[in-house]
Amino acid sequence: VDVARLERHVAQRQAAGVAGIGAVAAALGAGRSRLIRQLLTESTLLALAGGGLGLALAHGGLPLLLRLTGTFLPRADEVGIDTPVLLFTLGVSLVTGLFFGALPALATRRDLIGALKSESGQTTETAGRRRLRQLLIIGQLAVSFVLLVAAGLMVRSLIELQRVDPGVEVERVLSLTVDLNWTKYPRDRPELRRGFFQSLLERLDEHPAVRSAAVASSFPLHEGPSNRRFEIEERPVAEGEFRPQADWNTVSGDYFRTLGIPLLQGRLFTERDHQDAPPVVLVSHSFAQRYWGEENPFGRRLLIEDGQAGEIPYTVVGVVGDARRELREGTAEEIYFSFLQHPDEVWHLVLRTREDPRRLLQDVRETVWAIDPDQPVTQERTLIEVRERHLAVPRRTTLLLGLFAFLALGITATGIAGVIAFSVSRRTHEIGIRMALGAARSRVLSMVFAQGLRLVALGLVLGAAGAFLAGRSLADLLFGIVPHDGLTYAAVAATLFAVAGLACWLPARRATRIHPMTALRTD
């Protein structure tokens, strides 16, 4: 894209002066084919040089790009600059050079006398060339507007995502995976798994740096087990209808205190909720609100499918606060089972510490190995790190879009300034006459400035329309904000207008410094 933009700029400059240059060369005996070959050679060499520079920049920037996108780009380790990439770059460079070199080549004229007169300054550029440059600038403005709106929406979406309350206190919480070997701790011996985790929790509770510890089958901001179907005992599901379903989690008694999830009604799990006690469950606030509204769910019974055991009635003994599985999704409707009643369903350990959780990693490992030297400990992460992983993809997407938008903004500002400056250089004689006839410098300034602002206004209108249409493709990437957010559109329009206005003002101010006598001498 940069090579194409550079070639367009060269083509514009060449098209403005090639007629006169070609006329002089033709007057000295050069043929038309010779002139065309010369122009094509110049543009192709320029395109190849730009392609080579682009490859060098790509080679240097590839490690940074992979670091930014490696976590969500499939097979990122296979990305590299190989033979197909080199051939593609060579082909694009050649096509670009030939195409944009052909434009000024076609501008060579055989009318030597007319061309030589135009070189002396008695004629001005054609309306077609002027309109072509204006259309290019309008297009750049429109593309910049779309990219800036996309980046702005992603920034606001990221801010909203960072404000989401996950329903837990993430500071100083460490999570680890302790997945027991099924051959050593078989499913038909639940007392072995129960004994291992009870011993582990007791030892960790005695550690001076541990506030509380718990085991669970999952935890917030982490991929959990599949949901389970259930039925409220007093509301049987009609025959032929599907039973409702909800997320489930098996936890020990201190799980809620460890993660800072509040108890809203009833009680938490205790040592009395063991394998021989009546089956009990806790439900989240969202679950209680959906199925009982303002009624008290305490003591209600849920008929839950439990594998080979069939359908088991569980009594609701408490309601706890909501916790999110995903930051982008709503709060989960969740059912909590007691670890003592389902010891075969836990494999995660969570701890709240009094100091940096990372400092306790080795102590936790040694505690596990003191019970079973062969037991591996994996996926050691703090809850803050888990949350940051949820933000990594939108943050990097926002960074990339912002980078592209910034580059587009710079290219647009440069293009506007270049077009206006070129237009001023072509109108030097006209401006000199105006000033010789008494036109004030402020009038010349406003005339040139208004010329640029008309292009800016048209570009903003087209860009707004393009951003509106492109907003639909961004809907799945946004959170807490609509794709057609008016505040973002207004901020982008104001920013782009200010930058484009400055780009117009600089060559307009330079036009006011033209001395009338100097301008008239160009005739």
Side-chain angles (χ1 to χ4, degrees):
V1 174
D2 289 340
V3 173
R5 183 181 68 83
L6 186 58
E7 282 293 332
R8 287 198 302 270
H9 175 69
V10 172
Q12 293 165 5
R13 298 303 301 262
Q14 286 181 335
V18 71
I21 296 173
V24 173
L28 295 176
R32 180 178 176 83
S33 61
R34 175 70 177 271
L35 295 175
I36 293 177
R37 287 199 304 271
Q38 177 184 348
L39 292 171
L40 289 178
T41 301
E42 291 176 354
S43 61
T44 302
L45 289 176
L46 180 61
L48 290 175
L53 179 60
L55 280 176
L57 293 175
H59 182 269
L62 185 60
L64 176 61
L65 179 63
L66 293 180
R67 282 199 297 270
L68 290 174
T69 61
T71 57
F72 59 90
L73 185 66
R75 302 168 64 182
D77 57 332
E78 300 179 19
V79 176
I81 301 177
D82 51 14
T83 302
V85 173
L86 292 174
L87 293 177
F88 175 80
T89 305
L90 176 63
V92 170
S93 300
L94 287 175
V95 171
T96 302
L98 292 174
F99 178 77
F100 288 104
L103 295 180
L106 294 176
T108 57
R109 293 183 292 179
R110 296 180 179 179
D111 183 7
L112 302 183
I113 297 177
L116 291 172
K117 285 183 178 180
S118 68
E119 182 67 11
S120 66
Q122 291 181 0
T123 60
T124 60
E125 62 177 340
T126 64
R129 293 173 182 171
R130 183 170 60 252
R131 282 195 295 270
L132 177 60
R133 285 196 298 272
Q134 292 174 349
L135 288 176
L136 290 174
I137 292 303
I138 292 172
Q140 285 183 335
L141 279 164
V143 172
S144 297
F145 193 98
V146 174
L147 286 174
L148 285 170
V149 166
L153 290 174
M154 288 301 298
V155 168
R156 294 199 60 194
S157 176
L158 180 60
I159 292 174
E160 292 297 324
L161 198 60
Q162 290 175 326
R163 292 176 177 173
V164 171
D165 181 9
V168 296
E169 299 173 6
V170 298
E171 291 79 12
R172 294 186 177 181
V173 176
L174 180 65
S175 67
L176 309 94
T177 298
V178 184
D179 195 356
L180 298 182
N181 190 327
W182 285 105
T183 59
K184 197 171 184 178
Y185 303 91
R187 185 180 292 273
D188 58 355
R189 298 288 303 278
E191 69 277 3
L192 296 179
R193 296 178 64 88
R194 187 185 302 113
F196 177 92
F197 283 116
Q198 281 182 315
S199 177
L200 176 61
L201 293 177
E202 290 173 359
R203 298 187 185 201
L204 289 175
D205 284 337
E206 296 174 356
H207 196 289
V210 176
R211 289 183 178 273
S212 61
V215 292
S217 56
S218 183
F219 54 90
L221 306 180
H222 183 272
E223 295 181 1
S226 59
N227 44 39
R228 287 188 179 181
R229 294 194 176 275
F230 66 93
E231 180 180 320
I232 301 176
E233 190 176 51
E234 66 269 21
R235 302 177 195 170
V237 176
E239 185 177 354
E241 294 184 1
F242 288 106
R243 289 183 172 186
Q245 55 187 11
D247 291 342
W248 64 274
N249 196 359
T250 301
V251 302
S252 61
D254 280 342
Y255 173 83
F256 304 98
R257 183 165 68 94
T258 301
L259 294 181
I261 301 176
L263 174 66
L264 304 179
Q265 287 180 281
R267 66 173 179 85
L268 298 177
F269 295 132
T270 65
E271 295 294 331
R272 298 191 302 272
D273 300 315
H274 49 75
Q275 66 274 18
D276 297 325
V280 294
V281 292
L282 299 171
V283 296
S284 65
H285 176 69
S286 295
F287 185 99
Q289 285 293 307
R290 177 175 180 177
Y291 295 103
W292 290 292
E294 299 301 323
E295 300 179 18
N296 186 1
F298 185 79
R300 303 294 182 94
R301 299 220 301 178
L302 300 177
L303 305 178
I304 302 177
E305 299 175 358
D306 195 3
Q308 296 180 353
E311 189 178 83
I312 298 178
Y314 287 83
T315 303
V316 178
V317 296
V319 178
V320 296
D322 292 326
R324 291 178 179 263
R325 294 282 189 184
E326 293 279 348
L327 288 177
R328 297 177 61 90
E329 298 178 0
T331 52
E333 297 173 358
E334 199 157 6
I335 300 173
Y336 295 93
F337 298 92
S338 171
F339 149 69
L340 295 178
Q341 295 180 345
H342 298 273
D344 58 330
E345 295 177 349
V346 298
W347 45 82
H348 293 294
L349 175 67
V350 289
L351 304 92
R352 178 168 295 280
T353 65
R354 292 184 171 87
E355 56 186 51
D356 182 3
R358 282 285 178 182
R359 296 181 180 177
L360 270 68
L361 275 176
Q362 188 58 33
D363 289 352
V364 175
R365 296 190 195 106
E366 292 177 356
T367 302
V368 172
W369 295 334
I371 302 173
D372 186 346
D374 300 324
Q375 176 58 45
V377 179
T378 60
Q379 298 186 28
E380 302 154 335
R381 295 169 293 177
T382 67
L383 214 54
I384 292 179
E385 292 171 348
V386 174
R387 178 174 179 171
E388 287 302 308
R389 290 195 177 189
H390 283 257
L391 297 172
V393 172
R395 182 179 288 123
R396 290 171 180 173
T397 304
T398 302
L399 179 61
L400 289 175
L401 277 176
L403 177 61
F404 292 144
F406 177 78
L407 291 175
L409 183 63
I411 292 172
T412 300
T414 304
I416 293 175
V419 166
I420 300 301
F422 182 74
S423 177
V424 168
S425 69
R426 301 295 293 176
R427 299 176 64 183
T428 299
H429 182 65
E430 173 196 342
I431 293 173
I433 293 176
R434 288 177 181 272
M435 297 180 69
L437 293 176
R441 294 183 182 275
S442 59
R443 184 175 181 82
V444 174
L445 177 66
S446 62
M447 177 187 68
V448 178
F449 191 65
Q451 174 190 355
L453 289 186
R454 283 194 295 270
L455 301 180
V456 173
L458 287 173
L460 292 182
V461 171
L462 292 178
F468 186 85
L469 296 176
R472 299 176 183 176
S473 61
L474 286 175
D476 293 338
L477 299 176
L478 301 179
F479 175 82
I481 187 172
V482 295
H484 307 132
D485 180 63
L487 180 60
T488 303
Y489 276 64
V492 168
T495 301
L496 197 54
F497 190 85
V499 173
L502 179 62
C504 293
W505 180 78
L506 292 176
R509 183 169 176 268
R510 191 177 303 116
T512 63
R513 298 179 178 179
I514 297 176
H515 195 280
M517 293 304 297
T518 303
L520 292 175
R521 287 195 190 101
T522 61
D523 199 12

